[in-house]
Each structure stands twice: as structure tokens, then as C-alpha cells.
PDB file of all heavy atoms in Angstrom:
ATOM      1  N   ALA A   1     -12.454  -4.449 -16.874  1.00 61.00           N
ATOM      2  CA  ALA A   1     -12.112  -5.683 -17.474  1.00 61.00           C
ATOM      3  C   ALA A   1     -12.179  -5.481 -19.033  1.00 61.00           C
ATOM      4  O   ALA A   1     -13.287  -5.654 -19.632  1.00 61.00           O
ATOM      5  CB  ALA A   1     -12.962  -6.857 -17.029  1.00 61.00           C
ATOM      6  N   ALA A   2     -11.078  -5.164 -19.595  1.00 59.00           N
ATOM      7  CA  ALA A   2     -11.022  -4.934 -20.989  1.00 59.00           C
ATOM      8  C   ALA A   2     -11.562  -6.111 -21.831  1.00 59.00           C
ATOM      9  O   ALA A   2     -12.227  -5.859 -22.929  1.00 59.00           O
ATOM     10  CB  ALA A   2      -9.642  -4.544 -21.440  1.00 59.00           C
ATOM     11  N   VAL A   3     -11.267  -7.311 -21.445  1.00 64.00           N
ATOM     12  CA  VAL A   3     -11.730  -8.438 -22.330  1.00 64.00           C
ATOM     13  C   VAL A   3     -12.961  -9.108 -21.960  1.00 64.00           C
ATOM     14  O   VAL A   3     -13.659  -9.509 -22.783  1.00 64.00           O
ATOM     15  CB  VAL A   3     -10.504  -9.404 -22.321  1.00 64.00           C
ATOM     16  CG1 VAL A   3     -10.828 -10.589 -23.197  1.00 64.00           C
ATOM     17  CG2 VAL A   3      -9.163  -8.830 -22.851  1.00 64.00           C
ATOM     18  N   SER A   4     -13.275  -9.101 -20.647  1.00 63.00           N
ATOM     19  CA  SER A   4     -14.550  -9.806 -20.338  1.00 63.00           C
ATOM     20  C   SER A   4     -15.836  -9.097 -20.781  1.00 63.00           C
ATOM     21  O   SER A   4     -16.885  -9.730 -20.849  1.00 63.00           O
ATOM     22  CB  SER A   4     -14.570  -9.948 -18.810  1.00 63.00           C
ATOM     23  OG  SER A   4     -14.790  -8.715 -18.139  1.00 63.00           O
ATOM     24  N   GLU A   5     -15.737  -7.928 -21.165  1.00 63.00           N
ATOM     25  CA  GLU A   5     -17.002  -7.210 -21.790  1.00 63.00           C
ATOM     26  C   GLU A   5     -16.981  -7.372 -23.343  1.00 63.00           C
ATOM     27  O   GLU A   5     -17.857  -6.807 -23.888  1.00 63.00           O
ATOM     28  CB  GLU A   5     -16.926  -5.766 -21.262  1.00 63.00           C
ATOM     29  CG  GLU A   5     -16.919  -5.508 -19.889  1.00 63.00           C
ATOM     30  CD  GLU A   5     -18.249  -6.068 -19.243  1.00 63.00           C
ATOM     31  OE1 GLU A   5     -19.341  -5.922 -19.859  1.00 63.00           O
ATOM     32  OE2 GLU A   5     -18.144  -6.583 -18.044  1.00 63.00           O
ATOM     33  N   TYR A   6     -16.020  -7.952 -23.896  1.00 66.00           N
ATOM     34  CA  TYR A   6     -15.926  -8.036 -25.331  1.00 66.00           C
ATOM     35  C   TYR A   6     -16.691  -9.223 -25.813  1.00 66.00           C
ATOM     36  O   TYR A   6     -16.829 -10.249 -25.306  1.00 66.00           O
ATOM     37  CB  TYR A   6     -14.382  -8.378 -25.594  1.00 66.00           C
ATOM     38  CG  TYR A   6     -14.073  -8.751 -26.958  1.00 66.00           C
ATOM     39  CD1 TYR A   6     -14.176  -7.843 -28.023  1.00 66.00           C
ATOM     40  CD2 TYR A   6     -13.833 -10.141 -27.343  1.00 66.00           C
ATOM     41  CE1 TYR A   6     -13.879  -8.135 -29.355  1.00 66.00           C
ATOM     42  CE2 TYR A   6     -13.509 -10.463 -28.679  1.00 66.00           C
ATOM     43  CZ  TYR A   6     -13.554  -9.417 -29.676  1.00 66.00           C
ATOM     44  OH  TYR A   6     -13.248  -9.869 -30.886  1.00 66.00           O
ATOM     45  N   TYR A   7     -17.489  -8.914 -26.888  1.00 68.00           N
ATOM     46  CA  TYR A   7     -18.362  -9.902 -27.518  1.00 68.00           C
ATOM     47  C   TYR A   7     -17.887 -10.171 -28.996  1.00 68.00           C
ATOM     48  O   TYR A   7     -17.134  -9.381 -29.592  1.00 68.00           O
ATOM     49  CB  TYR A   7     -19.769  -9.348 -27.657  1.00 68.00           C
ATOM     50  CG  TYR A   7     -20.513  -9.200 -26.307  1.00 68.00           C
ATOM     51  CD1 TYR A   7     -20.583  -7.923 -25.769  1.00 68.00           C
ATOM     52  CD2 TYR A   7     -20.920 -10.322 -25.627  1.00 68.00           C
ATOM     53  CE1 TYR A   7     -21.208  -7.864 -24.558  1.00 68.00           C
ATOM     54  CE2 TYR A   7     -21.671 -10.198 -24.414  1.00 68.00           C
ATOM     55  CZ  TYR A   7     -21.705  -8.921 -23.844  1.00 68.00           C
ATOM     56  OH  TYR A   7     -22.309  -8.891 -22.563  1.00 68.00           O
ATOM     57  N   PHE A   8     -18.103 -11.249 -29.586  1.00 70.00           N
ATOM     58  CA  PHE A   8     -17.858 -11.703 -30.806  1.00 70.00           C
ATOM     59  C   PHE A   8     -18.116 -10.537 -31.846  1.00 70.00           C
ATOM     60  O   PHE A   8     -19.213  -9.949 -31.809  1.00 70.00           O
ATOM     61  CB  PHE A   8     -18.566 -12.949 -31.228  1.00 70.00           C
ATOM     62  CG  PHE A   8     -18.287 -13.488 -32.548  1.00 70.00           C
ATOM     63  CD1 PHE A   8     -17.070 -14.055 -32.861  1.00 70.00           C
ATOM     64  CD2 PHE A   8     -19.140 -13.385 -33.581  1.00 70.00           C
ATOM     65  CE1 PHE A   8     -16.754 -14.438 -34.165  1.00 70.00           C
ATOM     66  CE2 PHE A   8     -18.943 -13.860 -34.937  1.00 70.00           C
ATOM     67  CZ  PHE A   8     -17.769 -14.354 -35.092  1.00 70.00           C
ATOM     68  N   GLU A   9     -17.167 -10.266 -32.685  1.00 76.00           N
ATOM     69  CA  GLU A   9     -17.251  -9.282 -33.761  1.00 76.00           C
ATOM     70  C   GLU A   9     -17.248  -7.876 -33.284  1.00 76.00           C
ATOM     71  O   GLU A   9     -17.622  -6.888 -33.879  1.00 76.00           O
ATOM     72  CB  GLU A   9     -18.523  -9.589 -34.667  1.00 76.00           C
ATOM     73  CG  GLU A   9     -18.398 -10.760 -35.521  1.00 76.00           C
ATOM     74  CD  GLU A   9     -19.639 -10.933 -36.429  1.00 76.00           C
ATOM     75  OE1 GLU A   9     -20.444 -10.134 -36.439  1.00 76.00           O
ATOM     76  OE2 GLU A   9     -19.526 -11.901 -37.226  1.00 76.00           O
ATOM     77  N   GLU A  10     -16.694  -7.640 -31.987  1.00 79.00           N
ATOM     78  CA  GLU A  10     -16.445  -6.287 -31.525  1.00 79.00           C
ATOM     79  C   GLU A  10     -14.946  -5.962 -31.440  1.00 79.00           C
ATOM     80  O   GLU A  10     -14.454  -5.533 -30.517  1.00 79.00           O
ATOM     81  CB  GLU A  10     -17.065  -6.174 -30.101  1.00 79.00           C
ATOM     82  CG  GLU A  10     -18.622  -6.127 -30.174  1.00 79.00           C
ATOM     83  CD  GLU A  10     -19.161  -5.869 -28.690  1.00 79.00           C
ATOM     84  OE1 GLU A  10     -18.590  -6.232 -27.680  1.00 79.00           O
ATOM     85  OE2 GLU A  10     -20.208  -5.188 -28.744  1.00 79.00           O
ATOM     86  N   GLU A  11     -14.318  -6.200 -32.519  1.00 81.00           N
ATOM     87  CA  GLU A  11     -12.866  -5.957 -32.557  1.00 81.00           C
ATOM     88  C   GLU A  11     -12.517  -4.570 -32.306  1.00 81.00           C
ATOM     89  O   GLU A  11     -11.439  -4.333 -31.703  1.00 81.00           O
ATOM     90  CB  GLU A  11     -12.236  -6.399 -33.862  1.00 81.00           C
ATOM     91  CG  GLU A  11     -12.358  -7.966 -34.160  1.00 81.00           C
ATOM     92  CD  GLU A  11     -13.626  -8.471 -34.574  1.00 81.00           C
ATOM     93  OE1 GLU A  11     -14.425  -7.756 -34.995  1.00 81.00           O
ATOM     94  OE2 GLU A  11     -13.770  -9.748 -34.595  1.00 81.00           O
ATOM     95  N   SER A  12     -13.299  -3.570 -32.675  1.00 82.00           N
ATOM     96  CA  SER A  12     -12.967  -2.163 -32.502  1.00 82.00           C
ATOM     97  C   SER A  12     -13.067  -1.945 -31.024  1.00 82.00           C
ATOM     98  O   SER A  12     -12.287  -1.133 -30.489  1.00 82.00           O
ATOM     99  CB  SER A  12     -13.868  -1.206 -33.259  1.00 82.00           C
ATOM    100  OG  SER A  12     -15.302  -1.573 -32.884  1.00 82.00           O
ATOM    101  N   LEU A  13     -13.969  -2.535 -30.297  1.00 79.00           N
ATOM    102  CA  LEU A  13     -14.086  -2.316 -28.833  1.00 79.00           C
ATOM    103  C   LEU A  13     -12.756  -2.831 -28.173  1.00 79.00           C
ATOM    104  O   LEU A  13     -12.150  -2.266 -27.322  1.00 79.00           O
ATOM    105  CB  LEU A  13     -15.244  -2.834 -28.286  1.00 79.00           C
ATOM    106  CG  LEU A  13     -15.442  -2.940 -26.719  1.00 79.00           C
ATOM    107  CD1 LEU A  13     -15.449  -1.440 -26.203  1.00 79.00           C
ATOM    108  CD2 LEU A  13     -16.623  -3.664 -26.309  1.00 79.00           C
ATOM    109  N   LEU A  14     -12.370  -4.055 -28.553  1.00 79.00           N
ATOM    110  CA  LEU A  14     -11.277  -4.627 -28.110  1.00 79.00           C
ATOM    111  C   LEU A  14      -9.923  -3.777 -28.369  1.00 79.00           C
ATOM    112  O   LEU A  14      -9.050  -3.656 -27.461  1.00 79.00           O
ATOM    113  CB  LEU A  14     -10.961  -6.037 -28.585  1.00 79.00           C
ATOM    114  CG  LEU A  14      -9.958  -6.930 -27.962  1.00 79.00           C
ATOM    115  CD1 LEU A  14     -10.101  -7.089 -26.483  1.00 79.00           C
ATOM    116  CD2 LEU A  14      -9.824  -8.216 -28.715  1.00 79.00           C
ATOM    117  N   ALA A  15      -9.869  -3.323 -29.526  1.00 83.00           N
ATOM    118  CA  ALA A  15      -8.727  -2.472 -29.998  1.00 83.00           C
ATOM    119  C   ALA A  15      -8.595  -1.204 -29.185  1.00 83.00           C
ATOM    120  O   ALA A  15      -7.475  -0.742 -28.976  1.00 83.00           O
ATOM    121  CB  ALA A  15      -8.844  -2.051 -31.479  1.00 83.00           C
ATOM    122  N   LEU A  16      -9.763  -0.706 -28.632  1.00 80.00           N
ATOM    123  CA  LEU A  16      -9.690   0.411 -27.723  1.00 80.00           C
ATOM    124  C   LEU A  16      -9.382   0.089 -26.236  1.00 80.00           C
ATOM    125  O   LEU A  16      -8.674   0.806 -25.518  1.00 80.00           O
ATOM    126  CB  LEU A  16     -10.978   1.217 -27.774  1.00 80.00           C
ATOM    127  CG  LEU A  16     -11.193   2.024 -28.922  1.00 80.00           C
ATOM    128  CD1 LEU A  16     -12.632   2.464 -28.962  1.00 80.00           C
ATOM    129  CD2 LEU A  16     -10.365   3.232 -29.129  1.00 80.00           C
ATOM    130  N   SER A  17      -9.980  -1.089 -25.869  1.00 80.00           N
ATOM    131  CA  SER A  17      -9.936  -1.444 -24.443  1.00 80.00           C
ATOM    132  C   SER A  17      -8.588  -2.030 -23.953  1.00 80.00           C
ATOM    133  O   SER A  17      -8.125  -1.638 -22.847  1.00 80.00           O
ATOM    134  CB  SER A  17     -10.959  -2.628 -24.232  1.00 80.00           C
ATOM    135  OG  SER A  17     -12.157  -2.126 -24.474  1.00 80.00           O
ATOM    136  N   LEU A  18      -7.923  -2.752 -24.768  1.00 82.00           N
ATOM    137  CA  LEU A  18      -6.647  -3.194 -24.346  1.00 82.00           C
ATOM    138  C   LEU A  18      -5.538  -2.279 -24.124  1.00 82.00           C
ATOM    139  O   LEU A  18      -4.823  -2.111 -23.120  1.00 82.00           O
ATOM    140  CB  LEU A  18      -6.055  -4.375 -25.439  1.00 82.00           C
ATOM    141  CG  LEU A  18      -6.866  -5.634 -25.390  1.00 82.00           C
ATOM    142  CD1 LEU A  18      -6.431  -6.612 -26.355  1.00 82.00           C
ATOM    143  CD2 LEU A  18      -6.829  -6.261 -23.954  1.00 82.00           C
ATOM    144  N   PRO A  19      -5.353  -1.190 -25.063  1.00 85.00           N
ATOM    145  CA  PRO A  19      -4.377  -0.156 -24.769  1.00 85.00           C
ATOM    146  C   PRO A  19      -4.748   0.687 -23.511  1.00 85.00           C
ATOM    147  O   PRO A  19      -3.981   1.073 -22.843  1.00 85.00           O
ATOM    148  CB  PRO A  19      -4.380   0.705 -26.047  1.00 85.00           C
ATOM    149  CG  PRO A  19      -4.870  -0.251 -27.099  1.00 85.00           C
ATOM    150  CD  PRO A  19      -5.809  -1.190 -26.489  1.00 85.00           C
ATOM    151  N   ALA A  20      -6.111   1.050 -23.377  1.00 81.00           N
ATOM    152  CA  ALA A  20      -6.536   1.691 -22.279  1.00 81.00           C
ATOM    153  C   ALA A  20      -6.264   0.965 -20.993  1.00 81.00           C
ATOM    154  O   ALA A  20      -5.906   1.585 -19.962  1.00 81.00           O
ATOM    155  CB  ALA A  20      -8.067   2.016 -22.381  1.00 81.00           C
ATOM    156  N   SER A  21      -6.399  -0.350 -20.982  1.00 80.00           N
ATOM    157  CA  SER A  21      -6.117  -1.124 -19.800  1.00 80.00           C
ATOM    158  C   SER A  21      -4.634  -1.086 -19.379  1.00 80.00           C
ATOM    159  O   SER A  21      -4.189  -1.147 -18.256  1.00 80.00           O
ATOM    160  CB  SER A  21      -6.687  -2.548 -19.874  1.00 80.00           C
ATOM    161  OG  SER A  21      -5.799  -3.223 -20.683  1.00 80.00           O
ATOM    162  N   ARG A  22      -3.804  -0.811 -20.426  1.00 85.00           N
ATOM    163  CA  ARG A  22      -2.336  -0.783 -20.210  1.00 85.00           C
ATOM    164  C   ARG A  22      -1.988   0.656 -19.657  1.00 85.00           C
ATOM    165  O   ARG A  22      -0.976   0.711 -18.925  1.00 85.00           O
ATOM    166  CB  ARG A  22      -1.580  -1.099 -21.329  1.00 85.00           C
ATOM    167  CG  ARG A  22      -1.707  -2.595 -21.793  1.00 85.00           C
ATOM    168  CD  ARG A  22      -0.866  -3.107 -22.834  1.00 85.00           C
ATOM    169  NE  ARG A  22      -1.028  -4.472 -23.154  1.00 85.00           N
ATOM    170  CZ  ARG A  22      -1.772  -4.913 -24.120  1.00 85.00           C
ATOM    171  NH1 ARG A  22      -2.377  -4.046 -24.925  1.00 85.00           N
ATOM    172  NH2 ARG A  22      -1.920  -6.186 -24.309  1.00 85.00           N
ATOM    173  N   LEU A  23      -2.702   1.611 -19.932  1.00 86.00           N
ATOM    174  CA  LEU A  23      -2.394   2.978 -19.443  1.00 86.00           C
ATOM    175  C   LEU A  23      -3.084   3.222 -18.126  1.00 86.00           C
ATOM    176  O   LEU A  23      -2.591   4.102 -17.465  1.00 86.00           O
ATOM    177  CB  LEU A  23      -3.076   3.984 -20.480  1.00 86.00           C
ATOM    178  CG  LEU A  23      -2.477   4.204 -21.809  1.00 86.00           C
ATOM    179  CD1 LEU A  23      -3.209   5.114 -22.683  1.00 86.00           C
ATOM    180  CD2 LEU A  23      -1.049   4.767 -21.643  1.00 86.00           C
ATOM    181  N   TYR A  24      -3.937   2.417 -17.706  1.00 84.00           N
ATOM    182  CA  TYR A  24      -4.673   2.655 -16.417  1.00 84.00           C
ATOM    183  C   TYR A  24      -3.744   2.711 -15.180  1.00 84.00           C
ATOM    184  O   TYR A  24      -3.808   3.506 -14.268  1.00 84.00           O
ATOM    185  CB  TYR A  24      -5.794   1.615 -16.202  1.00 84.00           C
ATOM    186  CG  TYR A  24      -6.661   1.863 -15.070  1.00 84.00           C
ATOM    187  CD1 TYR A  24      -7.490   2.842 -14.996  1.00 84.00           C
ATOM    188  CD2 TYR A  24      -6.465   0.990 -14.014  1.00 84.00           C
ATOM    189  CE1 TYR A  24      -8.327   3.161 -13.881  1.00 84.00           C
ATOM    190  CE2 TYR A  24      -7.349   1.237 -12.790  1.00 84.00           C
ATOM    191  CZ  TYR A  24      -8.263   2.287 -12.823  1.00 84.00           C
ATOM    192  OH  TYR A  24      -9.045   2.483 -11.683  1.00 84.00           O
ATOM    193  N   PRO A  25      -2.755   1.831 -15.084  1.00 87.00           N
ATOM    194  CA  PRO A  25      -1.953   1.886 -13.844  1.00 87.00           C
ATOM    195  C   PRO A  25      -1.078   3.209 -13.778  1.00 87.00           C
ATOM    196  O   PRO A  25      -0.988   3.706 -12.715  1.00 87.00           O
ATOM    197  CB  PRO A  25      -0.899   0.776 -14.103  1.00 87.00           C
ATOM    198  CG  PRO A  25      -1.584  -0.251 -14.920  1.00 87.00           C
ATOM    199  CD  PRO A  25      -2.468   0.550 -15.890  1.00 87.00           C
ATOM    200  N   GLN A  26      -0.771   3.838 -14.956  1.00 90.00           N
ATOM    201  CA  GLN A  26      -0.156   5.103 -14.953  1.00 90.00           C
ATOM    202  C   GLN A  26      -1.095   6.195 -14.491  1.00 90.00           C
ATOM    203  O   GLN A  26      -0.747   7.101 -13.708  1.00 90.00           O
ATOM    204  CB  GLN A  26       0.333   5.548 -16.367  1.00 90.00           C
ATOM    205  CG  GLN A  26       1.484   4.614 -16.966  1.00 90.00           C
ATOM    206  CD  GLN A  26       1.713   4.795 -18.312  1.00 90.00           C
ATOM    207  OE1 GLN A  26       1.060   5.634 -18.974  1.00 90.00           O
ATOM    208  NE2 GLN A  26       2.570   3.963 -18.932  1.00 90.00           N
ATOM    209  N   ILE A  27      -2.288   6.156 -14.994  1.00 87.00           N
ATOM    210  CA  ILE A  27      -3.340   7.159 -14.497  1.00 87.00           C
ATOM    211  C   ILE A  27      -3.588   7.056 -13.007  1.00 87.00           C
ATOM    212  O   ILE A  27      -3.709   8.142 -12.269  1.00 87.00           O
ATOM    213  CB  ILE A  27      -4.616   6.938 -15.230  1.00 87.00           C
ATOM    214  CG1 ILE A  27      -4.350   7.346 -16.909  1.00 87.00           C
ATOM    215  CG2 ILE A  27      -5.775   7.849 -14.710  1.00 87.00           C
ATOM    216  CD1 ILE A  27      -5.507   6.878 -17.762  1.00 87.00           C
ATOM    217  N   ILE A  28      -3.658   5.787 -12.509  1.00 87.00           N
ATOM    218  CA  ILE A  28      -3.948   5.689 -11.094  1.00 87.00           C
ATOM    219  C   ILE A  28      -2.734   6.159 -10.197  1.00 87.00           C
ATOM    220  O   ILE A  28      -2.905   6.750  -9.204  1.00 87.00           O
ATOM    221  CB  ILE A  28      -4.237   4.144 -10.696  1.00 87.00           C
ATOM    222  CG1 ILE A  28      -5.646   3.778 -11.267  1.00 87.00           C
ATOM    223  CG2 ILE A  28      -4.091   3.843  -9.343  1.00 87.00           C
ATOM    224  CD1 ILE A  28      -6.735   4.614 -10.614  1.00 87.00           C
TER     225      ILE A  28
END
């Protein structure tokens, strides 16, 4: 869950998580 683990002021984590979540279906 790319967004549910995101906390306030963790924009860098969100910036990594969202693109990774979009690539995940291709990897699977």
C-alpha cells in the first residue's frame, strides 16, 4: 500500500512509492 504507509512530511517516500506501485503489476 503505497499511500497508507505515508506520513505527513514524507513526500520523498510517497514520490518513490507511487511509481513503484504502478510498476508492480508488470513485475508480477
